[in-house]
Amino acid sequence: MIDYSEYREDSIYGRYITMEILQENCFPKLKVDTIIIGNSVQGIPIPAFTIGQGKHKILMWSQMHGNESTTTKAVWDLVNFIQSRHEIAKIIKEACTLMIVPMLNPDGAKAYTRVNSNQIDLNRDAKNLSQPESVALRTLFQKFEPDFCFNLHDQRTLFSAGSTNKPATVSFLSPASNDQRDITPSREKAMKLIGAMNSLLQKLIPGQVGRYDDGFNDNCVGDTFQMLKVPTVLFEAGHYPNDYEREKTREFIFLAMVEALRTIATDKISDFTINAYFEIPENEKLFFDVLVKNPRVINKEYKEGEKIGVRYKEVLEGSKINFVPEIAEVGELEGFYAHKIIEDADILDLDFNTSHKAVMDLFLPISEK
Ligand SMILES: [Zn+2]
């Protein structure tokens, strides 16, 4: 058993995690040296470090999308765990060498954007390598020659695990490495590793694990590394009920990573089958953040049976992320779910700031929206 609270890195929390915050709170506690693998467009150094001396080499990077910080928090929880005396930590340290890049896109992290400061999505730059951050990761990949890669991301709140009313709290993908999406040996290994993590997660969050679609895109880093024959796992931290700060999801990502590393360290990958991977339901986009069920109560222009689907937009204000509601869809919205349901459109029940556009919009004639 792992008591998560012992390893949680309490100095970082919430959604806005920058390199400055990591440099202040996390890097000073490291028991190993860091290297600089490159600089961001804005000139911020990008650090990496290794832990463990084992034969299995695992390269992991987080926050290649600047506004996806949950896995960065989980990575530091993992560092605390691996540096501890826990029995599983010892096994991992002896069998594995981890190369960790906690934040690949510090400019995007600072601005809270997916893209880097040239407005380029680094996960669509694997072929061009047009950005310094992309070059830094590729150079590290070539020098380190990993046996496995963990590509660490966040996903939006709209994803359900299949067509169920369960959010995809964690999703995975073993990316394709060609257009035919063949199950190559490296893809197969990544699938089995995902099977191992899923079997743990199903005990903790039953039905809340999803699988990303595997359309091949060689501009994506995961697809490219898989093409270069290195098993690569895409992790996506998603929504857990009432956890917009993603502090609970962070724990599931931590536990999943430990399970993956333990599986690699103990040579147990072949205990799992690719069927275990394909049994994970595919992500679907069935969730709104808020569903207003009978808006006609406050605005007669809405028709009988019509609903309003609201999604939050994440907006950086100062050093905090605000969740600003926006009307995403109006209609019967059959088969959709929501993280919060307003049953009779009682506007006073809406717990967000009423100056927000989506709320004001409810009162406006539909033609003026
Ligand atoms: Zn991402």
Side-chain angles (χ1 to χ4, degrees), residues 56-120:
H56 303 288
K57 292 192 280 180
I58 297 114
L59 169 62
M60 60 179 84
W61 63 94
S62 183
Q63 240 168 321
M64 112 184 296
H65 292 142
N67 58 353
E68 298 177 0
S69 56
T70 305
T71 50
T72 305
K73 296 184 290 184
V75 157
W76 287 102
D77 301 336
L78 178 71
V79 168
N80 288 344
F81 176 73
I82 302 287
Q83 293 191 141
S84 78
R85 292 164 187 270
H86 195 287
E87 195 51 44
I88 296 171
K90 278 192 216 158
I91 292 170
I92 293 172
K93 260 182 296 201
E94 277 164 27
C96 301
T97 303
L98 313 184
M99 172 67 82
I100 300 176
V101 184
M103 185 180 284
L104 185 64
N105 178 7
D107 297 347
K110 196 172 175 188
Y112 201 70
T113 57
R114 176 181 176 90
V115 293
N116 77 348
S117 78
N118 286 333
Q119 310 305 311
I120 299 293

Side-chain angles (χ1 to χ4, degrees), residues 183-305:
I183 300 172
T184 58
S186 69
R187 249 202 117 183
E188 185 177 333
K189 263 192 184 174
M191 285 175 176
K192 290 177 176 176
L193 201 52
I194 291 168
M197 291 188 278
N198 183 50
S199 94
L200 169 78
L201 288 173
Q202 288 303 333
K203 292 176 202 148
L204 308 170
I205 40 171
Q208 284 171 238
V209 181
R211 176 165 59 88
Y212 249 90
D213 91 86
D214 61 354
F216 176 62
N217 183 346
D218 60 359
N219 290 314
C220 296
V221 174
D223 304 46
T224 298
F225 288 178
Q226 196 93 276
M227 215 161 65
L228 296 169
K229 299 188 166 57
V230 179
T232 300
V233 174
L234 173 73
F235 290 68
E236 294 277 356
H239 188 70
Y240 183 82
N242 299 316
D243 180 34
Y244 280 90
E245 299 298 341
R246 301 226 161 144
E247 289 298 311
K248 196 65 195 164
T249 301
R250 156 190 196 167
E251 179 178 345
F252 300 126
I253 296 287
F254 161 79
L255 292 170
M257 287 198 287
V258 172
E259 188 63 9
L261 294 173
R262 190 175 71 98
T263 304
I264 294 169
T266 54
D267 293 313
K268 289 276 162 58
I269 292 180
S270 53
D271 286 8
F272 296 87
T273 64
I274 58 169
N275 288 345
Y277 174 77
F278 286 110
E279 277 164 15
I280 301 171
E282 272 201 44
N283 270 7
E284 290 194 40
K285 298 175 178 173
L286 296 184
F287 269 90
F288 292 104
D289 289 299
V290 182
L291 197 61
V292 182
K293 274 209 161 161
N294 190 6
R296 202 174 148 75
V297 171
I298 51 158
N299 186 339
K300 288 284 175 252
E301 282 203 35
Y302 289 103
K303 295 189 201 87
E304 205 71 62

